[in-house]
Amino acid sequence: MDTPSLSGSAASGGRLLHLHRSGGSSFRRRLRPGGGASEAGTPLGGVSYVSTPIPDDDAFDVGADKYLLAKTYFDCREYRRAAHVLRGQAGRKAVFLRCYALYTAGEKRKEEETIELEGSLGKSNAINQELVALERELSTHRRTGAIDSFGLYLYGIVLRDKDCEGLARTVLVESVNSYPWNWSAWLELQSLCTSSDILNNLNLKNHWMKDFFLASAHLELKMHEEALKRYECLMRVFRCSDYIQAQIATVQYSMRDLDEADMIFEELLRTDPFRVDSMDVYSNLLYAKESSTALSFLAHRVFLTDKYRPESCCIIANYYSLKGQHEKSVLYFQRALKLNRKYLSAWTLMGHEFVELKNTPAAIDAYRRAVDINPRDYRAWYGLGQIYEMMGMPFYGLYYFRKSSYLQPNDARPWNAMAQCYESDQLQMIEEAIKCYERSANSNDTEGIALHQLGKLHSMLGQSEEAAFYYKKDLERIEAEERQGQNFVEALLFLAKYCKNIGRFEEAELYCTKLLDYTGPENETAKIFCKG
Amino acid sequence: MNVFAGVGGGAVGKEAASVGGGALLEVTPHKLAVCHLVQIFAPPPPQAGVAAPALPFPFESVAHHNRLGLFLFALTRSCEDFLEPPLEELLRQLKAVDSLVNGWLCQQLTSTLSVLNSPDDLFNFFDKLRGVLSAPEGANVEDEFLDPNSQLGVFLRCCILSFNTMAFEGVCHLLANLVEYCNSSETSYDFAEDEAFNSEIEMSNFMDANIHVRDAIFDKYSKGYAPESHMGEGSSSLVHASTSLHDFDEGIFKAEDNPDCLRSRWQLEAYLNQQADILEKDPSLVPLNSFNATMSQLQALAPELHRVQFLQYLNALTHDDYIAALDNLHRYFDYSAGMQGIFSRSSSSFQDIIVGKYESALLCLGNLHCYFGHPKKALEAFTEAVRVSQMNNDDSCLAYILGAISNLLSKIGMSSTIGTIGSPYSLGNNIGLGTPLSIQQQLLVLLKRSLKRADTLKLTSLVSFDHLSLAKFDLKHVQRPLVSFGPNAYTKLRTCPADVCKNLRLSSHVLTDFGVDGLSASSDNGSFSTSWLRNLSAASNSWCSSSTKSRKVLTNDFDNFHFHAQPSPIPAAVLQLAGSAYLLRATAWEHYGSAPMVRMNSLVYATCFADAASSSELSLAYVKLIQHLAAFKGYSAAFSALKLAEEKFPSTANSHIQLLKMQLLHERALHRGQLKIAQQICDEFGVLSSSVSGVDIELKTEASLRHARTLLAAKQFSQAANVANSLFSTCYKYNMQVENANVLLLLAEIHKNSDNAVLGLPYALASQSFCKSFNLDLLEASATLTLAELWLALGSTHAKRALSLACQSLPMILGHGGMELRARAHIVLAKCHLSDPKFKVTEDPCSVLDPLNQAVEDLQVLEYHEMAAEAYYLKALVYNNLGKLDEREEAAASFREHTIALENPYNEADSLSY
């Protein structure tokens, strides 16, 4: 069940095929009763699932030798040779293997060409030369019905590469409906579901693999609660699945539940010490918790396991970043990006590093590439906004914060950033700032900036009633979190003054006594208040 | 005889410099072909001692030789497309050039290219090329060889260098592309070879050739793994068994397309600049989506050429797509980090001129908001731009920003009562004067500041622009000293036409000074080469498809250019600026009230600057000419001219023409007394303007002015007065003094027509004084006329005074006024005489009848029934007094006719057409 969540279809030909690796059909025949049993043994909360469809295989005798020879060539990565061996074979499996070999060969050549054709005006977009022919052949097969689910899967990929997304989705749905255990097909389908509307409109059979798919898709679409719920359900059935565990940890990290996620990841590493998948998320988590020892340990471990995985490079880069060695960090991010040009979080994180290095053009470039790969990456938008704000261009930066908050409307941070732009010295648009802070305060601002700023801005505008309201709320929050600081003192001071002015002396006295616990000029002011 | 030695010396130097900067061109099959042709054009010099022939082998005359040279030059400079042309196209053009040696060149070229079969052949090819450039020992200047610094020499050197730095994989790709390149044209070449044909044979040949090639390709593919097939073909061979022949053919021809090879960087940038010019000139020529598709195709091929995104921004902007424009703007500046700049035209060597970086992003953002009518946002962006460019010491950008701000301030009505520029960090403070200034004063200060900066930085275009803006400002505003000391400070509260003229004159200096600032330096932007090639292919196309007769005409004629294809020594941007000066001159005279000058300046603009002008400006000139026609020749002439103009500017979106049409229709409807239609057009006017306050302020003013006039014609005096009053207060709020003069005059008219002459007098006087201080001579004359009418209405005792006032206004009105005004003056004159008790008609009938006849003539052309009726009435009275009964009856009948026409406006249906 453990499949890399980031595997691009291009690079991982060998890995994608592992579900099909059994070669002979005997293995699968053996598996079928098992599959039935697991299906019988997994009544998830009374949901009725469809029985697993049984793919009808060709008679294995026809061209079996050739198939085996081709399979061996394929495993030796001699794709064209494999395809050549299978020419003229009409069996479904043979057709699939031949097409798949051709596709892989084309992908390989494409990757090579991308480097070869790089000119002064940037990389030319090499295309997989086989796509046209493959599409034609596979569509014919699909029309005549002479295609199995794997062929459909391949057809789906080809269609996706040719930018026919709608048809690609339909074909992939057909594929997973006829053979639900091809996780690669699910993943391709997931990458084509860019909004929850599309996801909900898929015509999927109610197989339990669908739960895995939906959970993963929800995670991708940032619908964390739904994802978590589904994964927890699945966890009850597949108790030992570390994939599900890793996904749960990822969800929890995304929901900022760091400690819980940390625990799960630690557990995962104990049971599966050579794991690299999802470990970049873990490293992000460790980075956020600033535990450099654990991060260095993790980096060391993945480095020994497989240093040429983008995830490994990312982990090492995170470590250097935590250590403040940003040049090295950038170096490793660049390596990760060389291994996978579409590694989204690496672009964003590299942008952060460039910010640290004060190399703003490079940072902007990195963030912008992240955004162009995935326009829904709110962190990169946020980063762009931050850079422009730092450069003293708050008005220009507003555009980016607006984008970010549009994507993440319930996150307080973009709203806070927007508000800060508005109230900056340059813009001084206080009313707009107040609107943003209100929005932020309503969406559970954990950093507690919004309430305090609201109080401050309202008092600046002379609206002391509103100011008092927000200061009081801020006070409650600070007291609940048992923190203290300058904000606390400011709030107390304002409230004391305010209550005194409107004649609520008892309340004022209460605030003053609280103030007396602090040293500093406010203490003196409080004393004066008490006397007066 | 150095061939093309030092063609555009400076430009070549720059080209070389930019090549050194890493912008190497990439060797493509097309460039190989050109290289080969260059080699034929200028073969390697013979060894010393061997006498060189006067002309290289295939050429029969010097002209022939030069023609090929020109063709090659054009090939390396043309920027018609971003992709290189297929071999077929090249051969066709070559055939047109080389009509003398019977396609020897074409044969030579194809045979040479098809012989290049292995990487080693390519190496040898480039080895031979090198010989072209090296002068033999002992050669002197008289010998013929290719100057390595000429355009073609540089091109050749770039190709050789690029090949030398190429990795083996690159050579393989080049070879593969070359095979495709040659194959793609096999057909047409065979067909073009066929010299003797008439149209039928040609057709059948064409069909045959096509079929042959399909067969050939089919054969090739059915062989399976041909030795040279690397990719793609393998699978096709497997497929074809299972697919129909038809499908197969289609697929093959798609895949067999010419390889997508980009032109050189210089050509790409020239192409983009050209597209930008087209977008600016007439956006309706560029369809939004297809242009976007082209641009994304280019972007896919050259992802690091970020200027493509800028073009996408321009495209979205000119098609009013706010979201896309904003997105593309941000994307462009994010990617290029502002390093590609916006003003750096191709290879400008003036580094300090390139307004780069983020301040220009803000400048563009501000312009975007300004364009979409968000003055407040635009101002915020500009303020930030000022700050950032001050931070980065970017003086030239600052100058541009100041220019842009003043443009914004002048364009968008800013109410002086609302503190738009309020915060202490914004402009008020930057100006450095402690006292708060009115918008107009700020505008003036900004303009002067921008002018000063531009002058010191030698940004000639900006200087010219600022002069134009100043002229515009002087036209409409009284310049007051910012700070006046003491009671003695004397201020003359008048506009100063001399200043306007001075600024307009200074603005035209851009015509002589351009090139200093480097932005407009490069006049050779490839358009000459492009149009040369386009002519060539047009000629050769018609040569291929039409009869032999036209062929004879065309083959000798292809290098006679159309006039506009000649390279103009003046860049289009400069021409545009210089042209705007003329247009502004026309507007100024419109204000000052000299119709002939308006006409003359508009004519100059429409004839001399039409090539460079954007469609909206050109249409403005046409509008002025048509308005002139309407005022002096009547509506039928104007409408027939309008029809022509609409044909010339077919886009329905062209607001100037559309507005003009509505203006003319409205006026005609008012004159004819078709009030419903007039009201309907008024309503349409109101819809045209944006609902945001402060935007489209001129349009709004005009709409309510026309509304008031319609109400006046409908004799709804109190309502008309209400509308006029509110209009006056709006104009006052937005400081539009010139419009105020108009409104006041209208108010006076309203009171005159409602028989409240006493109330009307102050308005007329106020209007007159406004006109005086803004030098609106014609309007002043018409105010004086109204004044005379008002006095007249007060009773016959004031006839004398009215007469003198009317006489006072006559010279101006008869000299410059339109037909309506002239007729009015004549009628007033006659009325003054008639109501003067001392005046006896019988003694001097001519002094009354002459003006009346004149008026009647004019009014009939204008179809102005109301006034025509009045004139006939007066005429009838006069004839009655004179005792000429026949004439009296005639005048009375005409009077009746016009009154009936006024009361029963006939055929309303056709009054919206013309």
Side-chain angles (χ1 to χ4, degrees):
Chain A
M1 213 68 276
D2 185 9
T3 328
S5 53
L6 277 160
S7 69
S9 67
S12 49
R15 241 184 291 152
L16 291 182
L17 207 72
H18 73 288
L19 282 161
H20 204 235
R21 187 168 288 163
S22 51
S25 52
S26 54
F27 175 64
R28 214 183 298 154
R29 278 196 200 102
R30 245 191 298 121
L31 201 116
R32 250 174 239 148
S38 77
E39 172 210 294
T42 52
L44 281 176
V47 186
S48 68
Y49 287 106
V50 295
S51 64
T52 304
I54 300 161
D56 49 335
D57 223 332
D58 317 312
F60 188 56
D61 321 328
V62 188
D65 302 344
K66 283 195 172 171
Y67 177 80
L68 279 179
L69 178 62
K71 181 76 180 64
T72 319
Y73 281 144
F74 188 94
D75 290 344
C76 296
R77 307 197 169 184
E78 297 187 70
Y79 304 118
R80 287 200 187 279
R81 215 169 162 194
H84 185 70
V85 167
L86 285 174
R87 72 195 183 285
Q89 298 280 325
R92 288 178 189 193
K93 239 163 42 174
V95 167
F96 167 72
L97 186 59
R98 197 191 72 231
C99 292
Y100 195 72
L102 279 177
Y103 176 77
T104 322
E107 285 295 305
K108 189 173 156 228
R109 186 71 204 128
K110 183 180 102 180
E111 293 292 317
E112 287 165 3
E113 271 185 2
T114 326
I115 296 164
E116 286 165 16
L117 292 176
E118 188 173 354
S120 63
L121 292 171
K123 290 181 197 238
S124 165
N125 65 331
I127 47 160
N128 188 337
Q129 301 281 349
E130 310 289 343
L131 288 182
V132 182
L134 281 177
E135 191 204 349
R136 199 178 303 129
E137 182 178 1
L138 289 169
S139 67
T140 322
H141 285 318
R142 180 166 172 247
R143 226 176 298 133
T144 54
I147 193 165
D148 60 356
S149 64
F150 293 95
L152 284 172
Y153 159 65
L154 182 60
Y155 187 35
I157 308 180
V158 170
L159 285 172
R160 181 208 57 193
D161 286 354
K162 295 206 79 192
D163 292 328
C164 314
E165 299 203 342
L167 188 55
R169 264 194 297 272
T170 323
V171 171
L172 283 171
V173 166
E174 269 176 46
S175 170
V176 296
N177 278 344
S178 66
Y179 182 77
W181 292 303
N182 185 357
W183 183 238
S184 302
W186 288 108
L187 278 184
E188 291 303 334
L189 190 57
Q190 180 190 318
S191 72
L192 290 173
C193 294
T194 43
S195 73
S196 56
D197 285 344
I198 299 177
L199 186 64
N200 293 334
N201 287 333
L202 291 181
N203 183 20
L204 291 170
K205 279 190 197 161
N206 205 10
H207 191 265
W208 49 263
M209 277 300 282
K210 185 182 165 189
D211 289 327
F212 278 95
F213 165 70
L214 285 180
S216 162
H218 282 148
L219 176 60
E220 193 62 30
L221 293 172
K222 309 218 186 316
M223 299 154 72
H224 299 307
E225 273 90 15
E226 290 91 333
L228 191 59
K229 218 181 289 166
R230 246 171 232 281
Y231 276 127
E232 275 164 357
C233 271
L234 285 167
M235 195 68 202
R236 262 175 258 143
V237 183
F238 301 91
R239 285 171 217 284
C240 306
S241 164
D242 44 6
Y243 165 76
I244 299 177
Q245 270 188 336
Q247 292 297 92
I248 290 179
T250 309
V251 177
Q252 267 163 349
Y253 167 71
S254 311
M255 291 166 75
R256 312 241 117 222
D257 195 350
L258 299 186
D259 296 324
E260 187 71 18
D262 189 12
M263 249 162 53
I264 301 175
F265 274 127
E266 260 176 48
E267 176 64 31
L268 259 181
L269 270 185
R270 209 169 300 134
T271 53
D272 186 6
F274 298 104
R275 185 185 178 88
V276 183
D277 300 315
S278 315
M279 281 304 121
D280 51 334
V281 182
Y282 185 35
S283 78
N284 289 345
L285 184 152
L286 290 175
Y287 184 90
K289 291 183 78 176
E290 297 186 15
S291 51
S292 61
T293 327
L295 189 51
S296 75
F297 182 67
L298 179 68
H300 187 199
R301 196 185 261 190
V302 293
F303 171 76
L304 290 180
T305 312
D306 187 353
K307 68 181 243 189
Y308 290 118
R309 286 273 293 268
E311 289 92 340
S312 317
C313 298
C314 209
I315 293 168
I316 298 169
N318 266 338
Y319 172 67
Y320 276 123
S321 171
L322 190 59
K323 281 284 167 194
Q325 302 192 10
H326 300 293
E327 289 92 346
K328 280 191 182 169
S329 172
V330 166
L331 198 72
Y332 275 96
F333 277 127
Q334 275 165 347
R335 191 187 277 183
L337 287 169
K338 207 157 253 173
L339 291 167
N340 180 2
R341 261 172 300 127
K342 305 219 158 175
Y343 194 179
L344 186 64
S345 58
W347 280 116
T348 316
L349 292 174
M350 191 161 83
H352 294 333
E353 296 310 311
F354 278 124
V355 174
E356 296 288 341
L357 288 171
K358 305 260 181 293
N359 186 351
T360 35
I364 292 175
D365 195 80
Y367 282 135
R368 182 35 101 163
R369 276 170 210 275
V371 164
D372 277 354
I373 290 171
N374 183 357
R376 287 175 297 126
D377 185 18
Y378 74 97
R379 258 172 302 184
W381 286 114
Y382 186 79
L384 277 169
Q386 260 184 328
I387 293 183
Y388 283 113
E389 197 190 349
M390 268 165 39
M391 285 162 62
M393 299 161 70
F395 182 76
Y396 198 75
L398 272 174
Y399 166 82
Y400 299 98
F401 287 131
R402 223 171 280 145
K403 282 255 176 197
S404 179
S405 63
Y406 169 74
L407 293 167
Q408 195 82 348
N410 292 322
D411 193 338
R413 285 167 297 171
W415 291 112
N416 278 342
M418 246 162 106
Q420 274 157 7
C421 280
Y422 277 124
E423 66 163 329
S424 64
D425 287 345
Q426 293 95 336
L427 288 184
Q428 296 205 325
M429 295 155 84
I430 305 292
E431 270 132 53
E432 283 83 354
I434 287 181
K435 274 181 212 155
C436 292
Y437 276 131
E438 272 169 7
R439 187 69 205 252
S440 157
N442 287 339
S443 44
N444 188 23
D445 173 31
T446 47
E447 290 160 66
I449 301 170
L451 287 174
H452 180 73
Q453 288 300 106
L454 275 172
K456 211 163 150 185
L457 291 179
H458 277 299
S459 72
M460 257 168 69
L461 291 178
Q463 301 159 337
S464 39
E465 204 168 318
E466 286 90 344
F469 173 77
Y470 285 114
Y471 269 130
K472 217 177 273 179
K473 271 199 151 182
D474 194 33
L475 218 55
E476 282 163 22
R477 190 188 56 81
I478 294 174
E479 277 173 350
E481 288 172 15
E482 295 179 351
R483 282 190 309 179
Q484 283 161 350
Q486 195 55 39
N487 286 358
F488 191 62
V489 177
E490 260 176 55
L492 282 176
L493 199 62
F494 177 85
L495 283 172
K497 261 189 224 165
Y498 173 74
C499 291
K500 193 181 152 204
N501 284 349
I502 60 166
R504 301 215 300 247
F505 294 111
E506 279 172 29
E507 242 177 284
E509 197 185 340
L510 190 72
Y511 293 127
C512 282
T513 21
K514 276 188 191 166
L515 262 182
L516 285 176
D517 296 344
Y518 287 89
T519 50
E522 287 83 4
N523 194 344
E524 300 302 317
T525 329
K527 275 180 192 162
I528 295 164
F529 271 149
C530 286
K531 282 174 198 159
Chain B
M1 187 178 90
N2 281 7
V3 186
F4 283 114
V7 172
V12 170
K14 267 184 252 164
E15 177 98 337
S18 77
V19 163
L24 268 179
L25 49 78
E26 273 127 54
V27 184
T28 56
H30 175 74
K31 295 203 181 73
L32 273 183
V34 177
C35 282
H36 179 69
L37 289 176
V38 172
Q39 203 180 2
I40 294 175
F41 173 69
Q47 289 308 305
V50 183
L55 275 175
F57 158 60
F59 301 104
E60 290 167 1
S61 65
V62 176
H64 185 205
H65 189 223
N66 282 348
R67 189 179 295 168
L68 180 67
L70 198 58
F71 173 61
L72 292 176
F73 177 80
L75 275 184
T76 58
R77 303 290 280 185
S78 92
C79 48
E80 191 170 11
D81 194 6
F82 56 89
L83 290 179
E84 297 194 322
L87 181 57
E88 184 188 341
E89 175 75 23
L90 179 67
L91 288 175
R92 196 182 301 137
Q93 289 169 345
L94 195 56
K95 249 187 151 37
V97 174
D98 169 45
S99 52
L100 291 174
V101 279
N102 287 331
W104 183 84
L105 277 177
C106 296
Q107 263 171 342
Q108 234 276 331
L109 180 64
T110 34
S111 62
T112 312
L113 289 185
S114 54
V115 166
L116 295 173
N117 276 329
S118 69
D120 195 47
D121 294 337
L122 280 176
F123 278 103
N124 293 336
F125 179 83
F126 278 99
D127 260 350
K128 246 173 88 189
L129 272 188
R130 218 163 292 156
V132 176
L133 285 170
S134 53
E137 285 174 37
N140 50 29
V141 193
E142 293 299 307
D143 285 340
E144 177 172 319
F145 65 94
L146 194 67
D147 182 356
N149 289 324
S150 66
Q151 170 72 27
L152 291 181
V154 170
F155 173 76
L156 219 55
R157 277 155 63 201
C158 285
C159 286
I160 293 172
L161 181 60
S162 166
F163 183 77
N164 286 347
T165 52
M166 205 179 246
F168 189 74
E169 290 94 328
V171 179
C172 291
H173 276 288
L174 180 59
L175 208 57
N177 283 342
L178 189 63
V179 170
E180 267 183 70
Y181 181 71
C182 293
N183 281 344
S184 67
S185 72
E186 261 170 11
T187 37
S188 39
Y189 183 55
D190 287 345
F191 138 67
E193 272 284 71
D194 199 348
E195 280 284 330
F197 54 82
N198 57 34
S199 42
E200 282 128 75
I201 295 179
E202 174 200 346
M203 200 56 213
S204 63
N205 267 354
F206 182 73
M207 302 288 281
D208 284 352
N210 246 2
I211 291 165
H212 282 319
V213 165
R214 286 190 183 205
D215 288 349
I217 292 173
F218 191 83
D219 285 348
K220 189 171 143 209
Y221 277 85
S222 14
K223 271 184 237 154
Y225 287 102
E228 76 270 24
S229 67
H230 318 274
M231 55 209 99
E233 287 106 276
S235 54
S236 336
S237 76
L238 293 162
V239 173
H240 89 259
S242 59
T243 48
S244 72
L245 181 67
H246 178 71
D247 282 352
F248 181 63
D249 274 356
E250 260 182 11
I252 290 304
F253 276 93
K254 264 228 152 72
E256 264 292 312
D257 242 343
N258 198 41
D260 288 343
C261 292
L262 285 175
R263 295 180 181 224
S264 70
R265 192 182 191 113
W266 188 92
Q267 284 173 315
L268 285 182
E269 286 179 355
Y271 169 74
L272 291 181
N273 283 340
Q274 210 179 35
Q275 296 301 315
D277 284 345
I278 294 173
L279 270 177
E280 191 193 349
K281 257 191 199 167
D282 193 359
S284 60
L285 287 180
V286 187
L288 173 71
N289 288 327
S290 72
F291 185 73
N292 264 347
T294 322
M295 284 297 123
S296 20
Q297 195 193 346
L298 176 55
Q299 200 174 17
L301 289 168
E304 298 297 324
L305 192 71
H306 297 305
R307 202 171 299 173
V308 174
Q309 288 150 359
F310 193 70
L311 276 227
Q312 279 174 326
Y313 153 68
L314 284 182
N315 186 30
L317 184 72
T318 47
H319 288 93
D320 296 335
D321 187 344
Y322 174 69
I323 308 256
L326 199 61
D327 281 349
N328 280 314
L329 174 80
H330 282 273
R331 175 175 289 133
Y332 169 68
F333 282 103
D334 282 347
Y335 264 127
S336 60
M339 295 315 281
Q340 282 193 357
I342 38 172
F343 298 110
S344 63
R345 288 250 164 175
S346 63
S347 51
S348 171
S349 56
F350 298 83
Q351 279 305 315
D352 51 331
I353 296 304
I354 298 174
V355 184
K357 305 241 169 189
Y358 302 102
E359 51 269 26
S360 48
L362 283 162
L363 177 57
C364 282
L365 185 64
N367 278 333
L368 173 117
H369 283 306
C370 179
Y371 179 89
F372 282 109
H374 311 148
K376 205 156 175 175
K377 281 187 173 175
L379 205 59
E380 288 290 352
F382 284 138
T383 322
E384 198 160 288
V386 168
R387 207 171 42 239
V388 174
S389 53
Q390 277 169 346
M391 215 157 66
N392 298 343
N393 291 325
D394 191 341
D395 283 336
S396 43
C397 189
L398 192 57
Y400 280 105
I401 296 164
L402 294 180
I405 297 177
S406 49
N407 181 35
L408 173 75
L409 289 184
S410 66
K411 208 162 155 189
I412 287 168
M414 294 267 191
S415 147
S416 48
T417 53
I418 299 167
T420 324
I421 317 178
S423 67
Y425 280 87
S426 62
L427 297 165
N429 220 20
N430 284 338
I431 288 167
L433 292 169
T435 51
L437 300 175
S438 76
I439 300 280
Q440 271 68 30
Q441 281 168 317
Q442 287 189 6
L443 174 57
L444 185 62
V445 171
L446 282 173
L447 273 176
K448 289 203 164 151
R449 202 163 268 209
S450 172
L451 181 61
K452 212 170 112 195
R453 239 170 234 280
D455 217 16
T456 50
L457 293 168
K458 301 234 176 314
L459 306 169
T460 41
S461 320
L462 188 59
V463 170
S464 158
F465 174 80
D466 284 334
H467 276 302
L468 278 182
S469 311
L470 270 175
K472 236 185 265 179
F473 183 87
D474 286 336
L475 195 59
K476 287 196 162 191
H477 300 282
V478 176
Q479 281 200 27
R480 272 184 225 151
L482 287 173
V483 190
S484 50
F485 294 103
N488 293 334
Y490 166 73
T491 52
K492 195 181 71 176
L493 292 178
R494 284 188 76 141
T495 57
C496 193
D499 277 357
V500 176
C501 285
K502 193 183 88 186
N503 275 318
L504 283 172
R505 192 165 42 81
L506 286 175
S507 152
S508 299
H509 279 188
V510 71
L511 271 177
T512 50
D513 292 350
F514 71 88
V516 184
D517 64 352
L519 296 185
S520 38
S522 56
S523 65
D524 178 22
N525 51 8
S527 59
F528 168 68
S529 302
T530 312
S531 52
W532 195 86
L533 276 184
R534 207 173 278 158
N535 276 348
L536 186 61
S537 59
S540 59
N541 271 339
S542 51
W543 170 66
C544 279
S545 54
S546 63
S547 65
T548 42
K549 188 182 161 200
S550 70
R551 168 185 155 198
K552 261 195 186 124
V553 178
L554 283 165
T555 42
N556 292 327
D557 261 13
F558 62 84
D559 43 6
N560 289 345
F561 306 111
H562 300 294
F563 175 68
H564 60 77
Q566 300 277 9
S568 159
I570 305 169
V574 172
L575 269 182
Q576 230 171 4
L577 268 175
S580 332
Y582 278 92
L583 211 52
L584 191 59
R585 228 166 264 190
T587 314
W589 283 117
E590 213 170 61
H591 273 280
Y592 295 144
S594 170
M597 293 299 278
V598 174
R599 180 152 166 264
M600 198 188 78
N601 280 307
S602 309
L603 267 179
V604 167
Y605 185 82
T607 45
C608 299
F609 298 97
D611 280 346
S614 70
S615 72
S616 91
E617 292 202 331
L618 190 59
S619 66
L620 194 61
Y622 276 69
V623 164
K624 288 195 190 307
L625 287 172
I626 293 172
Q627 273 171 340
H628 183 268
L629 263 186
F632 286 90
K633 295 266 150 61
Y635 293 114
S636 54
F639 276 121
S640 58
L642 179 64
K643 229 172 235 169
L644 290 178
E646 274 183 330
E647 268 164 37
K648 192 167 164 60
F649 305 100
S651 65
T652 48
N654 196 313
S655 53
H656 289 304
I657 298 282
Q658 208 186 343
L659 267 183
L660 173 71
K661 185 176 151 189
M662 286 167 64
Q663 284 166 349
L664 289 179
L665 283 173
H666 182 249
E667 263 152 42
R668 192 178 65 171
L670 277 187
H671 286 174
R672 283 182 175 176
Q674 297 160 330
L675 295 177
K676 270 188 199 153
I677 287 167
Q679 186 54 45
Q680 187 187 332
I681 297 168
C682 267
D683 294 342
E684 281 175 37
F685 247 106
V687 171
L688 278 182
S689 54
S690 152
S691 58
V692 183
S693 78
V695 183
D696 289 343
I697 197 81
E698 283 177 19
L699 202 57
K700 283 176 190 163
T701 320
E702 188 172 350
S704 45
L705 200 62
R706 283 180 187 277
H707 185 51
R709 280 178 54 195
T710 315
L711 287 172
L712 172 63
K715 308 225 183 309
Q716 314 257 7
F717 299 117
S718 63
Q719 283 185 43
N722 278 343
V723 173
N725 274 326
S726 72
L727 179 59
F728 179 80
S729 52
T730 321
C731 286
Y732 184 78
K733 188 173 148 198
Y734 288 107
N735 261 316
M736 301 164 71
Q737 313 298 1
V738 176
E739 284 75 7
N740 268 342
N742 253 321
V743 179
L744 286 170
L745 189 58
L746 181 69
L747 274 168
E749 294 270 337
I750 292 170
H751 287 296
K752 183 192 83 187
N753 285 11
S754 63
D755 294 332
N756 277 327
V758 184
L759 275 182
L761 274 177
Y763 287 116
L765 285 170
S767 172
Q768 205 181 21
S769 72
F770 260 114
C771 290
K772 266 197 189 118
S773 56
F774 289 99
N775 292 303
L776 312 172
D777 291 349
L778 191 61
L779 198 64
E780 191 195 340
S782 114
T784 316
L785 198 63
T786 309
L787 207 57
E789 285 176 298
L790 286 168
W791 280 118
L792 208 56
L794 283 180
S796 55
T797 44
H798 301 285
K800 194 93 186 158
R801 188 198 292 246
L803 185 63
S804 80
L805 279 171
C807 288
Q808 194 184 319
S809 71
L810 268 186
M812 188 64 208
I813 289 178
L814 294 183
H816 296 284
M819 286 198 293
E820 184 189 342
L821 200 55
R822 278 197 316 234
R824 246 183 74 202
H826 282 131
I827 291 176
V828 171
L829 204 62
K831 269 165 117 180
C832 287
H833 283 304
L834 288 177
S835 55
D836 191 349
K838 288 174 203 153
F839 179 79
K840 295 277 184 302
V841 179
T842 41
E843 282 172 16
D844 186 10
C846 282
S847 65
V848 182
L849 279 178
D850 273 354
L852 281 178
N853 282 332
Q854 195 79 45
V856 161
E857 217 169 88
D858 286 346
L859 288 170
Q860 228 138 18
V861 175
L862 280 177
E863 305 172 59
Y864 198 163
H865 296 313
E866 194 182 351
M867 270 170 63
E870 192 179 356
Y872 277 118
Y873 175 73
L874 291 175
K875 252 174 99 174
L877 276 186
V878 173
Y879 282 127
N880 190 32
N881 276 359
L882 291 175
K884 294 183 175 173
L885 295 185
D886 285 351
E887 279 91 342
R888 188 194 69 183
E889 287 309 307
E890 201 181 316
S894 298
F895 166 74
R896 201 177 119 83
E897 213 171 86
H898 281 287
T899 326
I900 290 172
L902 186 64
E903 277 165 6
N904 312 311
Y906 60 99
N907 51 358
E908 296 232 347
D910 78 316
S911 45
L912 276 177
S913 62
Y914 43 90

